[in-house]
Amino acid sequence: LFGADEPPMLERAPGLTADLGAECSELRLLVRPSHLDHVRHVNNAVYTHFLEDAAFVHFAGRDWPLARMLAE
């Protein structure tokens, strides 16, 4: 839409519900200096590692640990 008066707007994604119950998992992380970029923010690539680690914690809590994933 080049030349349009206003940029196209996307609808906002629905928010998460406050009560996720048994669907929740928790992973506490220690942010280390090597995780930070030059302006002292967690580097975006590091966030992907955090999400991957959290996924393994989540699946292990539902009887799908890494050993079972590899076996399947």
Side-chain angles (χ1 to χ4, degrees):
L1 297 173
F2 295 109
D5 292 335
E6 294 185 27
M9 299 297 292
L10 298 175
E11 291 183 34
R12 291 187 76 113
L16 296 175
T17 60
D19 180 25
L20 296 176
E23 295 299 316
C24 286
S25 295
E26 182 176 331
L27 173 65
R28 293 179 181 260
L29 300 165
L30 176 65
V31 176
R32 301 184 182 280
S34 61
H35 296 153
L36 305 178
D37 60 18
H38 67 286
V39 290
R40 297 184 304 181
H41 297 141
V42 173
N43 184 288
N44 289 341
V46 173
Y47 275 118
T48 62
H49 293 281
F50 290 168
L51 289 170
E52 183 178 34
D53 292 342
F56 283 114
V57 168
H58 182 78
F59 294 132
R62 279 136 191 88
D63 198 30
W64 275 94
L66 180 59
R68 181 176 176 190
M69 287 183 199
L70 294 173
E72 293 289 327

